[in-house]
Amino acid sequence: MLDSKIPAGKLQNKWDNYKDRCKLVSPANKKKHTILIVGTGLAGASAAATLAELGYNVKSFCIQDSPRRAHSIAAQGGINGAKNYPNDGDTVWRLFYDTIKGGDYRSREANVYRLAQISNQIIDQCVAQGVPFAREYGGLLANRSFGGAQVSRTFYAKGQTGQQLLLGAYSAMSRQISTGKIEMFPRREMLDLVSIEGKARGIIVRNLLTGEIERYTGDAVLLCTGGYSNVFYLSTNARNSNVTAAWRCYKRGALFANPCYTQIHPTCIPVSGEYQSKLTLMSEGLRNDGRVWVPKQPGDKRHPNEIPEAERDYYLETRYPSFGNLVPRDVASRNAKQVTDEGRGVGETGLAVYLDFRDSIQKLGRETISDRYDNLFQMYQRITGENPYQLPMRIYPAVHYIMGGLWVDYNLMSTIPGLHVLGEANFSDHGANRLGASALMQGLSDGYFVIPYTLGNYIATTDLPPVATTHDAFAEAEAAVKEKTNKLLNIKGNKTVTEFHRHLGHILWDYVGMSRNKAGLTKAIALIAELKQEFWQNVTIPGNPDTFNKNLEFAGRVADFLELGELMARDALEREESCGAHFREECQTPEGEAQRNDEDYSYVAAWQYQDQDRTPLMHQEQLEFANVELTQRSYK
């Protein structure tokens, strides 16, 4: 079931071997095929633009009113590429190794090396599109450092890199919309996958403005719907980000891989009250010039500018002298939790640490810091009312990115033939922890450079007779969608969708958050089962199905989150080791670092849906490391 289809040959040659030998679709035949692409973030927009440019007919779907509003715009800090412009020793191999190590040796070597190889092509492509990357005085693109690396390989456009990259992909996409090769369907939400003769051949969507259920058919489906961090209720993701499209595919037979791997980002504006619906990310790029610290004495509530240097603990610099403030995200997050647990947290809640730019401003000048980060500083000041040029920022870890997702092979194809999964929606490249500035890299790699080959190979080697939306499989899928919708609307309980979602988020953060243990995970599974039962008996959803209805949208997503949350806890319970962002308290070194168990857990856990009343079945894809040595990860 889990054939990863990794090409033969040396690691450095696998992708070239694949491209040399894969089957192609001729230009005349490409125009005979229709591809359905769900999602218009960097993975979806780049795939749509590229495939349409090649001649395929593309139908593109997004839940926003425009592809420009996809959540990729929120990735502020930068995108990695092994160009070595600073001449500081970077290579494709180093980017590969840093990514494998950063993920704590829980990702496929072949996929990660391909990503590192393609990284340089991505930068060239985006420059050609006019993405306004920062430049050095000599004209070369500028680089900044990010966590988990000792070289500067992150290309950036101030603090809005994701937005600029998405505008580049959107411009390419718009060109194809104008030619008629891309048909755009905004404000649609995918609610089911249609398989015919075992192949993905269509989707069922809801028109979010009219409530109408619509059917669409194609020769392949590309799922580019991002991550599911909003299962925690409070996260750095946009409120519309959800798991529904991927979860409905899981229920149709696509395996779900490593759902417990959740990235906690250390650089977020802290929670300030129960009224919040989301959290705001401050870019990891800020850790280049900001120093993280807390008071040395517990309970020290003095104004930060009144605490002298001798009474400050720059704990990351002390504990990790080789990397300092640029340790990977999981390491920085756990250390922030540790110092706040010791009573040394700052701010009214005590759940924050300082990110201080005082020394960098004195050394480099305010103008230099402003050139690098001013839009981020402005955003922080608008939200908190505090000026980071004068006071240290207050930050704390928050749920940010998901390393788990639908299982895919080297072709980016799921266990359902024809269903390809790109970007954050798949599990493939980041292992147990994603390094900063790698999300944008993966999304564009998958869309611009990988899927044109792998999709062509699938179409050229697969019998795809025409199918119509009148096929019985479409009728069955649409009936299932309507049945679930009516079931939700007929509950007529007393608690709102938001109350259930917030309650689920508390359970997951408390027991499946920055640290986990056997007792807590067992409790979480029981609590979520109780909450799920209550949801289906007591949720209230006003309105009706055949019109604009945000409550109905959110209810369907929370219903899926409840099931996903249970699977996340179950996956974390099964993995009795610590790796990356999956930190089991029972499995740590004497220094408090994550301790892997390579002998028993060097595998991808891929879960198969059984039915509502049966426990999902776990399959294992064994990970093989022929090119890197499995060592205890250290950033000291």
Side-chain angles (χ1 to χ4, degrees), residues 203-279:
I203 59 175
I204 304 295
V205 305
R206 181 173 185 267
N207 185 318
L208 298 180
L209 297 179
T210 67
E212 183 180 358
I213 303 299
E214 301 170 350
R215 308 175 181 184
Y216 296 93
T217 182
D219 296 305
V221 176
L222 273 55
L223 205 65
C224 311
T225 50
Y228 48 85
S229 292
N230 278 342
V231 67
F232 286 86
Y233 185 69
L234 284 181
S235 83
T236 65
N237 281 200
R239 288 293 294 155
N240 269 334
S241 299
N242 64 82
V243 77
T244 289
W247 196 250
R248 305 295 169 87
C249 292
Y250 162 69
K251 287 191 162 184
R252 290 290 181 182
L255 299 196
F256 210 106
N258 297 337
C260 77
Y261 287 165
T262 304
Q263 183 178 79
I264 312 294
H265 198 295
T267 317
C268 299
I269 297 178
V271 176
S272 58
E274 278 289 308
Y275 60 86
Q276 280 183 263
S277 60
K278 76 175 299 293
L279 297 172

Side-chain angles (χ1 to χ4, degrees), residues 120-432:
N120 290 337
Q121 294 174 260
I122 296 170
I123 303 304
D124 293 341
Q125 170 92 354
C126 295
V127 169
Q129 290 176 336
V131 173
F133 287 119
R135 292 181 181 268
E136 299 288 5
Y137 74 97
L140 287 179
L141 302 185
N143 290 102
R144 58 171 53 142
S145 299
F146 258 59
Q150 292 180 302
V151 297
S152 294
R153 63 163 66 103
T154 303
F155 297 81
Y156 62 96
K158 273 200 169 180
Q160 49 185 262
T161 313
Q163 180 176 350
Q164 296 301 329
L165 292 171
L166 186 61
L167 287 172
Y170 175 63
S171 297
M173 195 177 172
S174 296
R175 164 182 151 85
Q176 293 304 317
I177 292 172
S178 68
T179 68
K181 295 302 292 183
I182 296 178
E183 189 175 1
M184 191 68 230
F185 296 91
R187 302 294 287 146
R188 263 66 167 198
E189 181 170 23
M190 176 180 163
L191 296 180
D192 212 344
L193 178 75
V194 178
S195 295
I196 298 174
E197 296 180 355
K199 307 180 192 75
R201 297 302 306 271
I203 59 175
I204 304 295
V205 305
R206 181 173 185 267
N207 185 318
L208 298 180
L209 297 179
T210 67
E212 183 180 358
I213 303 299
E214 301 170 350
R215 308 175 181 184
Y216 296 93
T217 182
D219 296 305
V221 176
L222 273 55
L223 205 65
C224 311
T225 50
Y228 48 85
S229 292
N230 278 342
V231 67
F232 286 86
Y233 185 69
L234 284 181
S235 83
T236 65
N237 281 200
R239 288 293 294 155
N240 269 334
S241 299
N242 64 82
V243 77
T244 289
W247 196 250
R248 305 295 169 87
C249 292
Y250 162 69
K251 287 191 162 184
R252 290 290 181 182
L255 299 196
F256 210 106
N258 297 337
C260 77
Y261 287 165
T262 304
Q263 183 178 79
I264 312 294
H265 198 295
T267 317
C268 299
I269 297 178
V271 176
S272 58
E274 278 289 308
Y275 60 86
Q276 280 183 263
S277 60
K278 76 175 299 293
L279 297 172
T280 303
L281 172 70
M282 290 286 101
S283 168
E284 181 174 318
L286 293 169
R287 288 198 273 149
N288 275 278
D289 291 300
R291 300 180 71 192
V292 178
W293 66 275
V294 291
K296 287 185 176 179
Q297 294 300 318
D300 190 339
K301 297 299 181 183
R302 286 179 290 174
H303 190 283
N305 292 346
E306 296 176 355
I307 300 177
E309 190 73 10
E311 298 178 36
R312 299 181 177 194
D313 180 7
Y314 295 93
Y315 57 90
L316 291 179
E317 298 174 29
T318 302
R319 298 177 190 177
Y320 306 97
S322 293
F323 284 75
N325 294 298
L326 289 171
V327 293
R329 292 173 176 179
D330 61 318
V331 177
S333 295
R334 280 196 296 275
N335 278 269
K337 182 179 187 298
Q338 180 180 331
V339 296
T340 56
D341 287 348
E342 293 170 357
R344 296 194 287 147
V346 301
E348 291 184 9
T349 64
L351 293 176
V353 300
Y354 288 128
L355 181 63
D356 197 340
F357 292 86
R358 181 196 64 179
D359 294 346
S360 293
I361 291 172
Q362 290 176 354
K363 179 181 178 181
L364 302 172
R366 175 168 172 156
E367 184 177 351
T368 298
I369 298 301
S370 176
D371 286 344
R372 293 175 181 175
Y373 311 115
D374 190 57
N375 60 314
L376 297 172
F377 278 35
Q378 289 181 38
M379 181 165 61
Y380 180 87
Q381 185 168 2
R382 289 194 197 104
I383 292 172
T384 66
E386 299 174 1
N387 185 344
Y389 290 107
Q390 300 171 357
L391 295 171
M393 287 185 177
R394 289 176 293 108
I395 59 169
Y396 195 67
V399 176
H400 174 55
Y401 187 90
I402 295 296
M403 283 76 65
L406 293 182
W407 185 91
V408 293
D409 60 19
Y410 192 77
N411 298 294
L412 303 183
M413 192 157 70
S414 73
T415 47
I416 299 176
L419 175 64
H420 297 74
V421 190
L422 283 63
E424 191 180 355
N426 75 38
F427 87 101
S428 68
D429 290 1
H430 306 299

Side-chain angles (χ1 to χ4, degrees), residues 504 507-508 512 523-534 561-569:
L504 173 64
I507 294 171
L508 291 174
V512 201
K523 183 175 182 179
I525 292 170
L527 289 174
I528 294 170
E530 292 175 8
L531 187 64
K532 182 169 61 175
Q533 184 176 17
E534 183 188 0
F561 279 149
L562 285 162
E563 296 177 4
L564 168 65
E566 189 173 346
L567 184 64
M568 291 170 66

Side-chain angles (χ1 to χ4, degrees), residues 47-58 173 176-177 179 181-182:
T50 303
L51 295 176
E53 191 78 43
L54 289 172
Y56 293 102
N57 301 303
V58 173
M173 195 177 172
Q176 293 304 317
I177 292 172
T179 68
K181 295 302 292 183
I182 296 178

Side-chain angles (χ1 to χ4, degrees), residues 1-6 108 253-258 405-410 413-416 427 603-608 617-624:
M1 179 175 287
L2 294 179
D3 180 4
S4 57
K5 296 184 172 62
I6 296 173
R108 281 195 206 124
L255 299 196
F256 210 106
N258 297 337
L406 293 182
W407 185 91
V408 293
D409 60 19
Y410 192 77
M413 192 157 70
S414 73
T415 47
I416 299 176
F427 87 101
Y603 61 74
V604 176
W607 294 85
Q608 179 184 0
L617 180 64
M618 185 180 74
H619 302 270
Q620 298 178 9
E621 177 199 346
Q622 295 298 323
L623 294 170
E624 298 180 5

